[in-house]
């Protein structure tokens, strides 16, 4: 069985018509596959060569890559607090249920809330909605100022 795996076969390229022909295996050629979907080969830029252009420093991000804007945070927070304050869940709002559950769980402070507590449901739902509003607000606000749309 080991002798079977030890035999070697040379495959020169994907473009050869017959892989078992001895003439193709004895003279390996460089085969270039091209199609309309593949772009022409482009030399990869090495970050080590580019280091000299920035005075020896590597530049990976723009200077202001985070682009913190308090307008986005403020409008995103208001954009989430307004709909989450609508009394839609049994006559109570999501924000009201979440803050009420915080008070209930703080009543027995040293003991953490059990996994069956409604606190975890309101916590995850409220924060998930907040983060989605903030993310979409960041995309929309910065996309508009950077003229993406």
């Amino acid at each position: 069985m080991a002798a079977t795996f030890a035999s070697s076969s040379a495959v020169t390229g994907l473009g050869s018509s017959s892989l078992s022909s001895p003439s193709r295996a004895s003279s390996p050629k460089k085969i270039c596959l091209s199609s309309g979907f593949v772009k022409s080969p482009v030399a990869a830029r090495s970050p080590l060569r580019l280091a000299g252009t920035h005075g020896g420093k590597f530049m990976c991000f723009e200077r202001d890559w985070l682009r913190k804007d308090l307008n986005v945070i403020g409008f995103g927070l208001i954009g989430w607090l307004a709909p989450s304050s609508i009394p839609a869940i049994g006559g109570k709002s999501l924000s009201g249920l979440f803050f009420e559950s915080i008070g209930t769980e703080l009543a027995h402070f040293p003991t953490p809330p059990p996994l069956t507590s409604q606190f975890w449901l309101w916590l995850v739902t409220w924060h998930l909605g907040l983060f989605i509003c903030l993310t979409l607000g960041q995309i929309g606000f910065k996309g508009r100022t950077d003229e993406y749309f």
Side-chain angles (χ1 to χ4, degrees):
M1 181 137 173
T4 310
F5 290 117
S7 66
S8 64
S9 64
V11 177
T12 57
L14 297 174
S16 31
S17 61
S18 171
L19 294 176
S20 62
S21 74
S23 63
R24 296 254 186 219
S26 63
S27 63
K29 293 181 180 179
K30 191 174 191 179
I31 298 173
C32 181
L33 299 175
S34 64
S35 77
F37 296 108
V38 180
K39 293 182 179 180
S40 62
V42 177
R45 292 188 287 170
S46 171
L48 298 175
R49 286 190 211 150
L50 294 176
T53 61
H54 296 291
K57 297 179 183 176
F58 289 100
M59 297 296 289
C60 296
F61 296 109
E62 296 176 10
R63 261 302 195 207
D64 188 21
W65 68 272
L66 181 59
R67 296 194 267 176
K68 180 179 72 172
D69 191 1
L70 297 178
N71 289 333
V72 174
I73 295 170
F75 287 129
L77 186 61
I78 291 169
W80 173 240
L81 282 176
S84 69
S85 297
I86 297 172
I89 305 170
K92 294 184 178 183
S93 67
L94 179 61
S95 293
L97 288 169
F98 174 52
F99 296 135
E100 181 181 316
S101 69
I102 290 173
T104 304
E105 295 303 328
L106 280 176
H108 49 83
F109 168 63
T111 308
L115 291 177
T116 57
S117 174
Q118 287 287 317
F119 166 76
W120 298 111
L121 174 67
W122 306 135
L123 174 103
V124 169
T125 307
W126 195 87
H127 281 91
L128 186 66
L130 175 67
F131 295 147
I132 288 172
C133 271
L134 290 174
T135 302
L136 292 177
Q138 180 78 6
I139 291 170
F141 193 83
K142 289 300 175 183
R144 183 77 171 155
T145 58
D146 291 346
E147 297 176 357
Y148 286 123
F149 42 87

